[in-house]
Amino acid sequence: MDNYVVNDNPPRRKADRKKIGRFIGYGLLVLVLIILASTCWYTVDDKQQAVVTTFGKVTSVSDAGIHFKLPFGIQQVQKVDVNVYQKIELGYRTDNNTEEGYTLNENESMMITGDYNIVNVEFFVEYKVSDPIKYLFASYEPEMILRNLIQSQVRNVVGSSSVDSVLTDGKEAIQMQVKELITDVLDQYDIGLMLTDVKIQDSEPPTEDVTFAFKEVETAKQGAETVINEAKAYQNAKLPAARAQADQLLQNAEYLKQNRINEAKEQVAMFEAMYREYMQNPDITKLRMYYEAIRATLPNVRLYIVTTENGVQTLLPLDSFASGGRN
């Protein structure tokens, strides 16, 4: 009896071992299938694009969504943020741990102007990825290339500008010029980055005395602009009245001119009429002109002329003769 029990244990142990080995094999198979399934798909959000490489060669670019790929490293996926505006700070760094909220970097901000003055200029630049394939494979560290390019072009533009324009009224022109230069060079480099905005965050002289002097200059310029604006407002208020007065004087002058012309035409007409009468009756016309001249010369004197015709004395009233019968 005992020998039978002893001889029966080895076959049972072998069967148990086979079952355990089978279960372990199934488990490993399931694990491999799970790992395989997990490496056959990937997701891309709406701010990204995914560059897919097959055996190290770019084969496709995927947009937002769920996508499948070949496992075991045959295809690799690199996701790139393309719909996100990224920034580069030049001359300062945002630091929420400080009271001001930023820290200065004078090695980047200190520049020399075209008129040999030193200024601190801080720039804020925005950019985005325009081509994910070129961004990943056309250059090494494209952000570093862009930062160096920005520093170079900023110093180039500031170095050709006057200190007044850098500190006061020339900032917008400098920003536009820097953006145009960087955009042109980026097109030549073709590293998959696109510049979207360039702004001067701040600009100031390196010492407090110079800062105070420039603030005084800026205050004076603002005062001058205020006076100019007030003068223009006064001009705009007075100019319509002056123009109206000028128009009135012109109309008056035109009226007087036309009146003089009409009087001259009337006198010419009267002279021509008198000349025609003279040609017809010279003696009578002369006598009439003589009487009219006396009447004009002595308007308040009643004058009688006595003539003798056939021994008869006749009184001829001058005023009645000259005025056509007025007593």
Side-chain angles (χ1 to χ4, degrees):
M1 189 73 176
D2 294 336
N3 293 334
Y4 175 77
V5 172
V6 172
N7 294 332
D8 189 52
N9 284 337
R12 288 183 179 180
R13 291 178 180 176
K14 291 181 180 180
D16 291 340
R17 289 172 183 170
K18 289 182 180 180
K19 289 181 181 180
I20 293 172
R22 191 179 300 115
F23 285 138
I24 293 174
Y26 288 151
L28 291 175
L29 180 61
V30 171
L31 181 61
V32 169
L33 291 175
I34 292 174
I35 295 173
L36 182 63
S38 65
T39 59
C40 287
W41 61 276
Y42 62 95
T43 60
V44 182
D45 63 32
D46 57 351
K47 295 181 180 180
Q48 297 176 328
Q49 283 185 331
V51 179
V52 181
T53 58
T54 304
F55 295 114
K57 183 179 180 180
V58 177
T59 54
S60 64
V61 177
S62 304
D63 294 321
I66 300 176
H67 306 275
F68 293 91
K69 67 181 182 66
L70 297 177
F72 304 117
I74 298 175
Q75 286 188 324
Q76 298 289 335
V77 176
Q78 298 186 61
K79 300 176 184 179
V80 179
D81 294 329
V82 294
N83 295 323
V84 177
Y85 290 97
Q86 304 182 57
K87 67 178 182 178
I88 291 179
E89 297 169 338
L90 183 65
Y92 74 103
R93 299 291 185 274
T94 300
D95 188 356
N96 296 325
N97 296 324
T98 61
E99 183 178 353
E100 295 82 4
Y102 64 92
T103 57
L104 296 178
N105 187 337
E106 291 188 354
N107 292 330
E108 294 179 350
S109 65
M110 189 171 294
M111 306 177 191
I112 187 168
T113 63
D115 49 4
Y116 303 105
N117 288 286
I118 297 176
V119 292
N120 288 328
V121 187
E122 301 164 12
F123 275 83
F124 174 80
V125 179
E126 279 187 348
Y127 70 96
K128 61 183 295 187
V129 177
S130 59
D131 189 324
I133 297 177
K134 293 178 180 177
Y135 171 77
L136 291 173
F137 303 108
S139 63
Y140 179 73
E141 294 187 357
E143 283 87 358
M144 183 60 67
I145 294 175
L146 179 59
R147 174 177 287 276
N148 293 335
L149 176 61
I150 293 170
Q151 291 186 8
S152 173
Q153 298 304 326
V154 165
R155 293 182 183 277
N156 182 23
V157 174
V158 173
S160 61
S161 304
S162 65
V163 65
D164 287 337
S165 62
V166 174
L167 297 178
T168 56
D169 56 354
K171 295 181 181 179
E172 185 174 354
I174 292 174
Q175 292 172 176
M176 293 177 61
Q177 190 175 356
V178 169
K179 184 177 180 180
E180 290 176 359
L181 291 173
I182 296 175
T183 301
D184 292 341
V185 179
L186 277 180
D187 291 340
Q188 297 175 10
Y189 287 177
D190 199 17
I191 58 176
L193 294 179
M194 178 179 65
L195 197 68
T196 59
D197 195 15
V198 176
K199 289 183 179 179
I200 294 179
Q201 193 78 354
D202 193 15
S203 60
E204 60 183 6
T207 62
E208 294 183 0
D209 293 338
V210 180
T211 302
F212 178 77
F214 273 100
K215 287 182 178 179
E216 291 292 325
V217 171
E218 185 65 20
T219 302
K221 287 183 178 180
Q222 293 177 357
E225 291 178 358
T226 301
V227 173
I228 292 173
N229 293 334
E230 290 177 353
K232 287 182 178 179
Y234 179 80
Q235 175 187 3
N236 294 332
K238 294 296 183 180
L239 194 58
R243 286 176 176 171
Q245 186 177 2
D247 290 340
Q248 185 178 1
L249 291 175
L250 289 174
Q251 291 175 2
N252 252 353
E254 187 65 26
Y255 169 77
L256 293 175
K257 169 188 172 183
Q258 194 62 39
N259 194 29
R260 292 288 181 89
I261 292 174
N262 293 335
E263 288 179 357
K265 289 180 178 179
E266 183 181 357
Q267 291 177 3
V268 170
M270 290 176 61
F271 179 81
E272 290 179 348
M274 187 180 295
Y275 180 73
R276 285 193 297 270
E277 292 293 331
Y278 176 80
M279 293 301 295
Q280 294 177 4
N281 301 294
D283 295 335
I284 295 176
T285 304
K286 286 180 181 180
L287 186 60
R288 179 182 175 183
M289 292 174 64
Y290 174 71
Y291 291 154
E292 289 178 351
I294 293 177
R295 179 71 179 87
T297 306
L298 305 170
N300 298 323
V301 176
R302 186 180 294 273
L303 179 63
Y304 296 93
I305 299 176
V306 180
T307 62
T308 301
E309 184 179 353
N310 297 326
V312 179
Q313 293 183 348
T314 302
L315 298 177
L316 183 62
L318 178 60
D319 53 354
S320 297
F321 175 82
S323 60
R326 184 183 64 183
N327 294 324

Short mmCIF file of all heavy atoms in Angstrom, two decimals, residues 10-58:
data_model
loop_
_atom_site.label_atom_id
_atom_site.label_comp_id
_atom_site.label_asym_id
_atom_site.label_seq_id
_atom_site.Cartn_x
_atom_site.Cartn_y
_atom_site.Cartn_z
N PRO A 10 5.05 11.08 -8.49
CA PRO A 10 5.77 11.74 -9.59
C PRO A 10 4.91 12.05 -10.81
O PRO A 10 5.00 13.15 -11.35
CB PRO A 10 6.88 10.74 -9.91
CG PRO A 10 7.11 10.05 -8.63
CD PRO A 10 5.77 9.91 -7.99
N PRO A 11 4.01 11.20 -11.30
CA PRO A 11 3.18 11.58 -12.45
C PRO A 11 2.29 12.77 -12.17
O PRO A 11 2.07 13.63 -13.03
CB PRO A 11 2.38 10.31 -12.72
CG PRO A 11 3.21 9.21 -12.18
CD PRO A 11 3.85 9.77 -10.97
N ARG A 12 1.73 12.86 -10.97
CA ARG A 12 0.86 14.00 -10.65
C ARG A 12 1.67 15.31 -10.64
O ARG A 12 1.20 16.35 -11.10
CB ARG A 12 0.22 13.79 -9.28
CG ARG A 12 -0.85 12.72 -9.30
CD ARG A 12 -1.47 12.62 -7.94
NE ARG A 12 -2.52 11.59 -7.93
CZ ARG A 12 -3.25 11.29 -6.85
NH1 ARG A 12 -3.01 11.93 -5.70
NH2 ARG A 12 -4.19 10.35 -6.92
N ARG A 13 2.84 15.27 -10.12
CA ARG A 13 3.67 16.49 -10.09
C ARG A 13 4.03 16.95 -11.49
O ARG A 13 4.05 18.14 -11.79
CB ARG A 13 4.94 16.21 -9.28
CG ARG A 13 4.67 16.01 -7.79
CD ARG A 13 5.95 15.69 -7.06
NE ARG A 13 5.70 15.49 -5.64
CZ ARG A 13 6.62 15.12 -4.78
NH1 ARG A 13 7.86 14.89 -5.21
NH2 ARG A 13 6.31 14.96 -3.48
N LYS A 14 4.29 15.98 -12.34
CA LYS A 14 4.60 16.35 -13.73
C LYS A 14 3.42 17.01 -14.42
O LYS A 14 3.55 17.99 -15.16
CB LYS A 14 5.05 15.11 -14.50
CG LYS A 14 6.40 14.56 -14.07
CD LYS A 14 6.76 13.35 -14.90
CE LYS A 14 8.13 12.79 -14.45
NZ LYS A 14 8.50 11.59 -15.25
N ALA A 15 2.20 16.46 -14.16
CA ALA A 15 0.99 17.03 -14.78
C ALA A 15 0.74 18.45 -14.26
O ALA A 15 0.38 19.36 -15.01
CB ALA A 15 -0.22 16.13 -14.49
N ASP A 16 0.97 18.66 -12.95
CA ASP A 16 0.78 20.01 -12.39
C ASP A 16 1.77 21.00 -12.99
O ASP A 16 1.45 22.15 -13.28
CB ASP A 16 0.96 19.96 -10.87
CG ASP A 16 -0.19 19.19 -10.20
OD1 ASP A 16 -1.26 19.07 -10.85
OD2 ASP A 16 0.01 18.76 -9.07
N ARG A 17 3.01 20.51 -13.17
CA ARG A 17 4.02 21.40 -13.76
C ARG A 17 3.65 21.79 -15.18
O ARG A 17 3.85 22.93 -15.62
CB ARG A 17 5.38 20.72 -13.73
CG ARG A 17 5.96 20.60 -12.32
CD ARG A 17 7.20 19.74 -12.33
NE ARG A 17 7.73 19.55 -10.98
CZ ARG A 17 8.69 18.70 -10.69
NH1 ARG A 17 9.24 17.96 -11.65
NH2 ARG A 17 9.12 18.59 -9.43
N LYS A 18 3.11 20.85 -15.93
CA LYS A 18 2.70 21.16 -17.31
C LYS A 18 1.58 22.19 -17.34
O LYS A 18 1.57 23.12 -18.17
CB LYS A 18 2.26 19.88 -18.01
CG LYS A 18 3.40 18.92 -18.34
CD LYS A 18 2.87 17.70 -19.07
CE LYS A 18 4.03 16.74 -19.40
NZ LYS A 18 3.53 15.53 -20.11
N LYS A 19 0.61 22.02 -16.42
CA LYS A 19 -0.48 22.99 -16.36
C LYS A 19 0.04 24.39 -16.01
O LYS A 19 -0.37 25.40 -16.58
CB LYS A 19 -1.51 22.55 -15.33
CG LYS A 19 -2.31 21.34 -15.75
CD LYS A 19 -3.32 20.97 -14.67
CE LYS A 19 -4.13 19.74 -15.07
NZ LYS A 19 -5.12 19.37 -14.05
N ILE A 20 0.93 24.43 -15.03
CA ILE A 20 1.49 25.74 -14.62
C ILE A 20 2.27 26.37 -15.77
O ILE A 20 2.17 27.57 -16.06
CB ILE A 20 2.39 25.57 -13.39
CG1 ILE A 20 1.55 25.15 -12.18
CG2 ILE A 20 3.14 26.86 -13.09
CD1 ILE A 20 2.37 24.77 -10.96
N GLY A 21 3.05 25.54 -16.48
CA GLY A 21 3.81 26.06 -17.62
C GLY A 21 2.89 26.55 -18.73
O GLY A 21 3.17 27.58 -19.36
N ARG A 22 1.76 25.82 -18.92
CA ARG A 22 0.82 26.25 -19.95
C ARG A 22 0.18 27.60 -19.59
O ARG A 22 0.05 28.50 -20.42
CB ARG A 22 -0.25 25.17 -20.13
CG ARG A 22 -1.12 25.39 -21.37
CD ARG A 22 -2.16 24.29 -21.51
NE ARG A 22 -1.52 22.99 -21.64
CZ ARG A 22 -1.63 22.00 -20.76
NH1 ARG A 22 -2.34 22.17 -19.67
NH2 ARG A 22 -1.02 20.84 -20.97
N PHE A 23 -0.18 27.76 -18.32
CA PHE A 23 -0.79 29.01 -17.86
C PHE A 23 0.20 30.18 -18.00
O PHE A 23 -0.16 31.29 -18.40
CB PHE A 23 -1.26 28.88 -16.41
CG PHE A 23 -2.50 28.06 -16.25
CD1 PHE A 23 -2.61 27.15 -15.21
CD2 PHE A 23 -3.55 28.18 -17.16
CE1 PHE A 23 -3.75 26.39 -15.06
CE2 PHE A 23 -4.70 27.42 -17.00
CZ PHE A 23 -4.81 26.52 -15.97
N ILE A 24 1.47 29.88 -17.63
CA ILE A 24 2.49 30.94 -17.75
C ILE A 24 2.68 31.33 -19.21
O ILE A 24 2.80 32.51 -19.56
CB ILE A 24 3.82 30.47 -17.13
CG1 ILE A 24 3.67 30.31 -15.62
CG2 ILE A 24 4.95 31.45 -17.46
CD1 ILE A 24 4.88 29.71 -14.93
N GLY A 25 2.66 30.35 -20.12
CA GLY A 25 2.81 30.64 -21.55
C GLY A 25 1.66 31.47 -22.08
O GLY A 25 1.87 32.44 -22.82
N TYR A 26 0.42 31.10 -21.63
CA TYR A 26 -0.73 31.89 -22.04
C TYR A 26 -0.64 33.34 -21.51
O TYR A 26 -0.96 34.30 -22.20
CB TYR A 26 -2.02 31.25 -21.55
CG TYR A 26 -2.39 29.98 -22.27
CD1 TYR A 26 -3.12 28.97 -21.64
CD2 TYR A 26 -1.99 29.76 -23.60
CE1 TYR A 26 -3.47 27.79 -22.30
CE2 TYR A 26 -2.32 28.58 -24.27
CZ TYR A 26 -3.05 27.61 -23.61
OH TYR A 26 -3.38 26.46 -24.26
N GLY A 27 -0.19 33.43 -20.27
CA GLY A 27 -0.07 34.78 -19.69
C GLY A 27 0.95 35.63 -20.42
O GLY A 27 0.74 36.82 -20.68
N LEU A 28 2.09 34.97 -20.73
CA LEU A 28 3.11 35.74 -21.49
C LEU A 28 2.60 36.15 -22.86
O LEU A 28 2.87 37.25 -23.34
CB LEU A 28 4.38 34.88 -21.61
CG LEU A 28 5.16 34.65 -20.32
CD1 LEU A 28 6.32 33.68 -20.57
CD2 LEU A 28 5.68 35.97 -19.77
N LEU A 29 1.83 35.24 -23.49
CA LEU A 29 1.27 35.56 -24.81
C LEU A 29 0.31 36.73 -24.73
O LEU A 29 0.34 37.65 -25.56
CB LEU A 29 0.58 34.32 -25.39
CG LEU A 29 -0.06 34.49 -26.77
CD1 LEU A 29 1.01 34.88 -27.80
CD2 LEU A 29 -0.79 33.22 -27.19
N VAL A 30 -0.55 36.71 -23.70
CA VAL A 30 -1.49 37.82 -23.52
C VAL A 30 -0.74 39.12 -23.24
O VAL A 30 -1.09 40.20 -23.76
CB VAL A 30 -2.47 37.50 -22.37
CG1 VAL A 30 -3.30 38.74 -22.03
CG2 VAL A 30 -3.37 36.33 -22.76
N LEU A 31 0.30 39.03 -22.42
CA LEU A 31 1.10 40.23 -22.11
C LEU A 31 1.75 40.78 -23.36
O LEU A 31 1.76 42.00 -23.59
CB LEU A 31 2.15 39.87 -21.07
CG LEU A 31 3.05 41.03 -20.61
CD1 LEU A 31 2.22 42.14 -19.97
CD2 LEU A 31 4.11 40.52 -19.63
N VAL A 32 2.30 39.87 -24.20
CA VAL A 32 2.92 40.31 -25.45
C VAL A 32 1.89 40.97 -26.36
O VAL A 32 2.14 42.00 -26.99
CB VAL A 32 3.61 39.13 -26.16
CG1 VAL A 32 4.03 39.51 -27.57
CG2 VAL A 32 4.81 38.66 -25.35
N LEU A 33 0.69 40.38 -26.42
CA LEU A 33 -0.37 40.95 -27.25
C LEU A 33 -0.79 42.33 -26.74
O LEU A 33 -1.03 43.26 -27.53
CB LEU A 33 -1.57 40.01 -27.29
CG LEU A 33 -1.37 38.70 -28.05
CD1 LEU A 33 -2.60 37.80 -27.91
CD2 LEU A 33 -1.07 38.97 -29.53
N ILE A 34 -0.86 42.48 -25.42
CA ILE A 34 -1.22 43.79 -24.85
C ILE A 34 -0.15 44.83 -25.17
O ILE A 34 -0.44 45.96 -25.58
CB ILE A 34 -1.41 43.66 -23.33
CG1 ILE A 34 -2.66 42.82 -23.03
CG2 ILE A 34 -1.54 45.05 -22.70
CD1 ILE A 34 -2.84 42.52 -21.55
N ILE A 35 1.10 44.44 -24.98
CA ILE A 35 2.20 45.37 -25.28
C ILE A 35 2.20 45.71 -26.77
O ILE A 35 2.38 46.87 -27.17
CB ILE A 35 3.55 44.77 -24.86
CG1 ILE A 35 3.59 44.60 -23.34
CG2 ILE A 35 4.70 45.63 -25.33
CD1 ILE A 35 4.82 43.86 -22.84
N LEU A 36 1.96 44.69 -27.60
CA LEU A 36 1.93 44.91 -29.04
C LEU A 36 0.80 45.85 -29.43
O LEU A 36 0.98 46.76 -30.24
CB LEU A 36 1.77 43.56 -29.76
CG LEU A 36 1.78 43.60 -31.30
CD1 LEU A 36 3.13 44.12 -31.79
CD2 LEU A 36 1.50 42.22 -31.86
N ALA A 37 -0.36 45.64 -28.82
CA ALA A 37 -1.51 46.50 -29.14
C ALA A 37 -1.27 47.93 -28.67
O ALA A 37 -1.65 48.90 -29.34
CB ALA A 37 -2.77 45.94 -28.49
N SER A 38 -0.63 48.06 -27.51
CA SER A 38 -0.39 49.42 -26.99
C SER A 38 0.63 50.19 -27.81
O SER A 38 0.67 51.42 -27.77
CB SER A 38 0.09 49.33 -25.53
OG SER A 38 1.34 48.68 -25.46
N THR A 39 1.47 49.51 -28.56
CA THR A 39 2.47 50.20 -29.39
C THR A 39 2.03 50.35 -30.83
O THR A 39 2.80 50.83 -31.65
CB THR A 39 3.79 49.42 -29.35
OG1 THR A 39 3.56 48.08 -29.83
CG2 THR A 39 4.36 49.38 -27.94
N CYS A 40 0.82 49.94 -31.15
CA CYS A 40 0.34 50.02 -32.53
C CYS A 40 -0.55 51.23 -32.79
O CYS A 40 -1.03 51.41 -33.90
CB CYS A 40 -0.44 48.74 -32.89
SG CYS A 40 0.63 47.29 -33.13
N TRP A 41 -0.81 52.04 -31.80
CA TRP A 41 -1.65 53.22 -32.02
C TRP A 41 -1.12 54.39 -31.18
O TRP A 41 -0.42 54.21 -30.20
CB TRP A 41 -3.11 52.92 -31.67
CG TRP A 41 -3.33 52.53 -30.23
CD1 TRP A 41 -3.20 51.30 -29.68
CD2 TRP A 41 -3.69 53.41 -29.17
NE1 TRP A 41 -3.46 51.32 -28.34
CE2 TRP A 41 -3.79 52.63 -27.99
CE3 TRP A 41 -3.97 54.78 -29.08
CZ2 TRP A 41 -4.12 53.16 -26.76
CZ3 TRP A 41 -4.31 55.31 -27.85
CH2 TRP A 41 -4.38 54.50 -26.71
N TYR A 42 -1.50 55.57 -31.59
CA TYR A 42 -1.09 56.80 -30.89
C TYR A 42 -2.14 57.87 -31.15
O TYR A 42 -2.91 57.80 -32.11
CB TYR A 42 0.30 57.27 -31.37
CG TYR A 42 0.37 57.62 -32.83
CD1 TYR A 42 0.20 58.93 -33.27
CD2 TYR A 42 0.61 56.64 -33.79
CE1 TYR A 42 0.27 59.26 -34.61
CE2 TYR A 42 0.68 56.95 -35.13
CZ TYR A 42 0.51 58.26 -35.54
OH TYR A 42 0.57 58.58 -36.87
N THR A 43 -2.16 58.87 -30.28
CA THR A 43 -3.13 59.97 -30.39
C THR A 43 -2.39 61.30 -30.57
O THR A 43 -1.30 61.49 -30.03
CB THR A 43 -4.01 60.05 -29.14
OG1 THR A 43 -3.19 60.26 -27.99
CG2 THR A 43 -4.82 58.78 -28.98
N VAL A 44 -3.03 62.19 -31.32
CA VAL A 44 -2.49 63.54 -31.57
C VAL A 44 -3.58 64.54 -31.22
O VAL A 44 -4.72 64.40 -31.69
CB VAL A 44 -2.07 63.71 -33.04
CG1 VAL A 44 -1.47 65.10 -33.26
CG2 VAL A 44 -1.09 62.62 -33.45
N ASP A 45 -3.27 65.52 -30.36
CA ASP A 45 -4.30 66.51 -30.00
C ASP A 45 -4.36 67.61 -31.05
O ASP A 45 -3.58 67.64 -32.00
CB ASP A 45 -4.05 67.08 -28.60
CG ASP A 45 -2.74 67.85 -28.49
OD1 ASP A 45 -2.32 68.45 -29.49
OD2 ASP A 45 -2.13 67.83 -27.40
N ASP A 46 -5.31 68.54 -30.84
CA ASP A 46 -5.59 69.55 -31.87
C ASP A 46 -4.51 70.61 -31.99
O ASP A 46 -4.53 71.42 -32.93
CB ASP A 46 -6.93 70.22 -31.60
CG ASP A 46 -6.99 70.84 -30.21
OD1 ASP A 46 -6.05 70.61 -29.42
OD2 ASP A 46 -7.97 71.54 -29.91
N LYS A 47 -3.56 70.66 -31.06
CA LYS A 47 -2.48 71.64 -31.13
C LYS A 47 -1.21 71.05 -31.73
O LYS A 47 -0.20 71.74 -31.81
CB LYS A 47 -2.17 72.19 -29.73
CG LYS A 47 -3.31 72.98 -29.12
CD LYS A 47 -2.93 73.50 -27.76
CE LYS A 47 -4.07 74.30 -27.14
NZ LYS A 47 -3.70 74.82 -25.78
N GLN A 48 -1.27 69.80 -32.12
CA GLN A 48 -0.05 69.10 -32.54
C GLN A 48 -0.19 68.52 -33.95
O GLN A 48 -1.28 68.41 -34.50
CB GLN A 48 0.27 67.96 -31.57
CG GLN A 48 0.57 68.37 -30.16
CD GLN A 48 0.79 67.17 -29.26
OE1 GLN A 48 0.19 66.10 -29.46
NE2 GLN A 48 1.66 67.32 -28.27
N GLN A 49 0.97 68.16 -34.48
CA GLN A 49 1.09 67.30 -35.64
C GLN A 49 2.16 66.25 -35.32
O GLN A 49 3.11 66.54 -34.59
CB GLN A 49 1.48 68.08 -36.91
CG GLN A 49 0.33 68.85 -37.53
CD GLN A 49 0.73 69.51 -38.83
OE1 GLN A 49 1.89 69.86 -39.05
NE2 GLN A 49 -0.24 69.67 -39.72
N ALA A 50 1.96 65.04 -35.85
CA ALA A 50 2.90 63.94 -35.56
C ALA A 50 3.65 63.57 -36.83
O ALA A 50 3.03 63.35 -37.88
CB ALA A 50 2.14 62.73 -35.01
N VAL A 51 4.97 63.52 -36.73
CA VAL A 51 5.83 63.11 -37.84
C VAL A 51 6.15 61.63 -37.67
O VAL A 51 6.71 61.22 -36.65
CB VAL A 51 7.11 63.95 -37.90
CG1 VAL A 51 8.00 63.49 -39.04
CG2 VAL A 51 6.77 65.43 -38.04
N VAL A 52 5.77 60.81 -38.66
CA VAL A 52 5.97 59.36 -38.60
C VAL A 52 7.17 58.99 -39.46
O VAL A 52 7.25 59.38 -40.63
CB VAL A 52 4.71 58.62 -39.09
CG1 VAL A 52 4.92 57.11 -39.00
CG2 VAL A 52 3.49 59.04 -38.27
N THR A 53 8.10 58.25 -38.88
CA THR A 53 9.27 57.76 -39.61
C THR A 53 9.24 56.23 -39.64
O THR A 53 8.91 55.57 -38.65
CB THR A 53 10.58 58.23 -38.95
OG1 THR A 53 10.61 57.77 -37.60
CG2 THR A 53 10.67 59.74 -38.97
N THR A 54 9.57 55.68 -40.79
CA THR A 54 9.65 54.22 -40.97
C THR A 54 11.10 53.86 -41.25
O THR A 54 11.66 54.29 -42.26
CB THR A 54 8.74 53.77 -42.11
OG1 THR A 54 7.41 54.21 -41.86
CG2 THR A 54 8.77 52.26 -42.24
N PHE A 55 11.68 53.10 -40.32
CA PHE A 55 13.11 52.77 -40.39
C PHE A 55 13.96 54.05 -40.53
O PHE A 55 14.93 54.10 -41.27
CB PHE A 55 13.40 51.83 -41.56
CG PHE A 55 12.77 50.48 -41.41
CD1 PHE A 55 11.78 50.06 -42.27
CD2 PHE A 55 13.17 49.62 -40.39
CE1 PHE A 55 11.19 48.80 -42.13
CE2 PHE A 55 12.58 48.36 -40.24
CZ PHE A 55 11.59 47.95 -41.10
N GLY A 56 13.54 55.10 -39.81
CA GLY A 56 14.30 56.35 -39.76
C GLY A 56 14.00 57.32 -40.88
O GLY A 56 14.54 58.44 -40.88
N LYS A 57 13.15 56.99 -41.83
CA LYS A 57 12.82 57.86 -42.95
C LYS A 57 11.40 58.39 -42.77
O LYS A 57 10.48 57.64 -42.45
CB LYS A 57 12.94 57.11 -44.27
CG LYS A 57 12.67 57.98 -45.49
CD LYS A 57 12.83 57.18 -46.77
CE LYS A 57 12.57 58.06 -47.99
NZ LYS A 57 12.72 57.30 -49.26
N VAL A 58 11.22 59.72 -42.98
CA VAL A 58 9.90 60.33 -42.82
C VAL A 58 8.96 59.78 -43.89
O VAL A 58 9.25 59.83 -45.09
CB VAL A 58 9.99 61.87 -42.93
CG1 VAL A 58 8.60 62.48 -42.85
CG2 VAL A 58 10.88 62.43 -41.83
#
